[in-house]
Amino acid sequence: LYFGLMPGPVTAGQTAKKALTIKATGEIDRAPVHIRIDATKPGRVFDGIGGNFRLQNPAMDPPVIDYCLDHLRITWGRVEMPWSSWHAVESVDPVEAARAGHLASTVHEAMSMAQRLARMGIPVIVSAWSAPRWAIEGEPGFRAQNELRGNPLKAAKMKSIIKSLSSYLLYLKQAYGVEAAMFSFNESDLGINVRQTGEEHADLIKRLGAAMASQGLATKMLLGDNSDATTY
């Protein structure tokens, strides 16, 4: 449900207030539920609680992260790959730049977050939300336009894209001592902000997986980093 508060242009200092009462009615199904369990066929092991440890808000995120790590038994952690900061210019080798002391602060912070989780014995998933401009088709689309959002990866640049992604994960392992358990693009079915079809995702699994394995990385592709549980 969408409720309009201020239609038309809004000026500084303008205020609005609206009181709403929402009620729902329905007939409750109180019939008994019968559950039958086949103990001879156990399902997958439930590891426990996982969490996103993406540093988006410098003021609010760190205390929340500290609280979660201090009070919860976190069994999986996901951190961001600031890919655009890692490899903004295609012609510049990001590893050489990092070794020369030109590592972006956002990349250092993300890698340090991964290091912190790894030192606590928490498996790390690395996910990229967005891509550098040279790696995508069209102008960056961060909001839904014509029912689509995000950008597909540029097919003509896939060789450079694969090299760039694997170089980040390799540098994370070599410089910060963290071997990512898995890699994904965040919600790529919807495009936040890299959008992929099922076929494109399958192709990436093959090509990036082979590249990571060739460099001695044990990192796997995370299948099913979806926007909703209804997509596949």
Side-chain angles (χ1 to χ4, degrees):
L1 299 176
Y2 294 90
F3 298 98
L5 291 178
M6 288 186 176
V10 179
T11 59
Q14 187 176 348
T15 62
K17 182 183 293 186
K18 182 175 288 188
L20 301 169
T21 301
I22 300 175
K23 295 181 179 180
T25 61
E27 189 172 328
I28 301 173
D29 182 357
R30 300 186 183 277
V33 175
H34 300 278
I35 299 175
R36 185 172 62 187
I37 298 174
D38 185 351
T40 65
K41 297 179 180 179
R44 296 180 181 179
V45 174
F46 178 69
D47 291 334
I49 298 173
N52 255 355
F53 295 89
R54 183 188 182 197
L55 301 168
Q56 288 179 277
N57 187 318
M60 300 299 295
D61 288 344
V64 173
I65 288 172
D66 290 343
Y67 184 88
C68 290
L69 293 178
D70 290 341
H71 294 84
L72 299 175
R73 188 178 68 85
I74 304 296
T75 55
W76 279 88
R78 190 166 79 128
V79 301
E80 182 184 10
M81 173 194 285
W83 189 18
S84 297
S85 299
W86 168 252
H87 199 174
V89 180
E90 183 184 5
S91 60
V92 176
D93 186 320
V95 175
E96 289 185 3
R99 289 173 177 167
H102 303 299
L103 187 67
S105 60
T106 53
V107 176
H108 169 69
E109 290 164 3
M111 290 189 173
S112 295
M113 186 72 254
Q115 186 180 60
R116 179 180 176 185
L117 296 175
R119 285 175 175 173
M120 296 177 67
I122 300 172
V124 173
I125 298 169
V126 173
S127 297
W129 266 255
S130 56
R133 295 176 73 97
W134 61 263
I136 58 173
E137 299 284 359
E139 291 298 312
F142 298 112
R143 296 185 181 277
Q145 295 176 353
N146 299 324
E147 299 183 1
L148 289 175
R149 62 183 298 161
N151 301 81
L153 296 174
K154 190 172 290 185
K157 296 288 185 180
M158 283 308 297
K159 187 174 181 179
S160 295
I161 288 170
I162 297 297
K163 182 179 179 181
S164 179
L165 293 172
S166 56
S167 72
Y168 183 100
L169 296 167
L170 190 61
Y171 186 81
L172 176 64
K173 179 180 179 179
Q174 294 174 341
Y176 289 78
V178 181
E179 184 163 38
M182 300 183 194
F183 168 80
S184 73
F185 285 116
N186 177 71
E187 300 181 13
S188 58
D189 62 310
L190 186 61
I192 308 180
N193 292 294
V194 173
R195 188 176 73 250
Q196 290 191 302
T197 64
E199 292 76 14
E200 290 168 340
H201 187 57
D203 182 64
L204 180 74
I205 289 174
K206 295 176 183 178
R207 298 179 65 174
L208 180 57
M212 292 189 296
S214 70
Q215 296 183 66
L217 288 167
T219 308
K220 304 297 185 184
M221 293 293 295
L222 175 61
L223 180 65
D225 185 343
N226 291 349
S227 58
D228 298 287
T230 55
T231 58
Y232 55 88

